[in-house]
Amino acid sequence: MIVVNSVQTLRRLIQTHRDMGHRIGFVPTMGNLHAGHLSLVKTAKQHADIVVVSIFVNPTQFGPNEDFDSYPRTFEQDQALLEQEGADIIFAPEVAEVYPNWPNLTRVQVAELGNNHCGASRPGHFDGVTTVVSKLFNMVRPDCAVFGQKDFQQLAIIRRMTSDLNFDIDIIGAPIVREANGLAMSSRNGYLSTEQKEHASFIYQTLSWMKQQIENGERDYRALEQAAKQRLTEQNFKPDYVHVARQDNLEMAQDGDQQLVLLIAAFMGKVRLIDNMTLEI
Ligand code: PAF
């Protein structure tokens, strides 16, 4: 496994693989890797000959009061995990390498899909994500790229951006990886104590409960969202949002819609956790 920090070296290295006819898979990350990220690498290996993993804590996707400075940077540990998993190249650039004209930026903004759910609570967040992912796509020029379905809205936005900007890249969504208690794996779980992690699985339980209600015939989705919020509040969570949405355009679901996604964002103390569950009716 090779670690590179500059775009120039990365490009040269990838070109040698391309010349050999290798298919390039890409997994963008912000580091602090866990089993969820490693499953993305596994998926990439099934679709490509060479897997490039980027580790870059992207400043443009953090709001002014968010955890950019304190976001865990665990490069040595990440490197060991990626080596074990059989990744081929780690691309770990500095901010100046990715954003040479920082703080003046050309930005990529996807219309519509980023306005609700996390986009409403974290203004500018998805513009930061699409800006960095489009830059990384141009640096790596992969044949396929793998993103986790845990960030359901992010995945939808990346798919739209890829299509709208004509990137010739297959976007692959990989299933959510959960702890034994159901808690979705996330770098932010590292902020939680063992006890809090146990309690945080209530978000998954709430999603499962909502799914059950819908399968039992509940079609008043706004009432269901309120009831789920109430349950979370009673368990000392501060719900940011609980939404029943359409999978295709992420608009709020109405009776008659068939492919649904249940989305929750809730604070446990200062830690904001997100999770989702899809269902077809
Ligand atoms: O999902 C993430 O970890 C980040 O949003 C991504 C895609 C690596 C862009 O910084």
Side-chain angles (χ1 to χ4, degrees):
M1 191 177 69
I2 300 178
V3 179
V4 293
N5 309 109
S6 84
V7 177
Q8 206 189 17
T9 314
L10 177 75
R11 284 214 167 126
R12 215 179 302 128
L13 190 57
I14 289 179
Q15 191 54 50
T16 58
H17 285 290
R18 219 172 262 122
D19 291 345
M20 288 189 272
H22 289 158
R23 193 175 148 82
I24 313 294
F26 178 43
V27 179
T29 80
M30 297 206 299
N32 193 224
L33 305 181
H34 49 69
H37 295 109
L38 301 180
S39 82
L40 306 183
V41 176
K42 276 194 189 83
T43 304
K45 281 175 75 72
Q46 288 161 7
H47 290 83
D49 305 303
I50 293 294
V51 174
V52 181
V53 179
S54 63
I55 297 183
F56 178 64
V57 185
N58 171 36
T60 62
Q61 66 188 80
F62 289 79
N65 299 318
E66 293 184 351
D67 54 346
F68 173 70
D69 289 328
S70 61
Y71 198 84
R73 281 132 172 114
T74 53
F75 187 77
E76 269 81 43
Q77 192 185 305
D78 295 345
Q79 192 175 353
L81 289 170
L82 290 173
E83 181 99 58
Q84 262 172 35
E85 207 55 62
D88 300 282
I89 301 172
I90 298 181
F91 178 47
E94 295 293 332
V95 171
E97 185 69 8
V98 177
Y99 297 116
N101 296 315
W102 177 267
N104 302 314
L105 299 180
T106 300
R107 288 178 192 271
V108 173
Q109 184 179 50
V110 171
E112 299 163 330
L113 290 175
N115 295 337
N116 49 10
H117 317 301
C118 284
S121 316
R122 304 182 68 189
H125 167 70
F126 287 120
D127 296 351
V129 171
T130 44
T131 298
V132 81
V133 171
S134 58
K135 285 174 73 67
L136 290 166
F137 279 180
N138 280 324
M139 293 168 187
V140 178
R141 294 199 290 121
D143 297 288
C144 64
V146 187
F147 293 83
Q149 284 167 355
K150 176 177 163 275
D151 296 299
F152 193 91
Q153 190 174 15
Q154 169 173 282
L155 177 58
I157 289 172
I158 302 275
R159 283 192 197 284
R160 177 71 65 85
M161 177 193 83
T162 303
S163 150
D164 282 356
L165 297 185
N166 304 96
F167 282 112
D168 190 11
I169 299 171
D170 296 334
I171 303 299
I172 300 163
I176 300 176
V177 179
R178 299 184 179 280
E179 303 278 1
N181 68 8
L183 174 65
M185 297 233 179
S186 161
S187 296
R188 291 198 167 95
N189 294 354
Y191 296 136
L192 304 175
S193 66
T194 312
E195 212 172 65
Q196 283 175 316
K197 276 191 200 147
E198 210 39 63
H199 190 55
S201 67
F202 190 73
I203 294 180
Y204 171 70
Q205 290 165 32
T206 305
L207 287 168
S208 306
W209 174 79
M210 290 173 75
K211 183 175 180 187
Q212 192 63 60
Q213 298 300 306
I214 295 174
E215 284 171 351
N216 290 347
E218 176 63 86
R219 292 294 178 271
D220 185 344
Y221 298 138
R222 302 299 84 80
L224 182 62
E225 290 163 355
Q226 285 313 317
K229 270 189 174 177
Q230 177 73 29
R231 287 166 72 97
L232 285 162
T233 309
E234 282 165 5
Q235 290 294 321
N236 294 326
F237 289 86
K238 196 163 155 266
D240 177 359
Y241 63 78
V242 177
H243 289 157
V244 183
R246 289 168 57 121
Q247 284 181 32
D248 56 354
N249 58 12
L250 293 181
E251 284 178 9
M252 301 298 275
Q254 309 297 335
D255 188 7
D257 293 335
Q258 291 178 334
Q259 297 190 312
L260 306 180
V261 56
L262 315 175
L263 300 151
I264 293 183
F267 285 90
M268 197 176 170
K270 285 193 173 144
V271 186
R272 185 174 181 276
L273 300 168
I274 63 170
D275 199 355
N276 69 79
M277 199 174 276
T278 54
L279 78 153
E280 325 251 319
I281 49 174

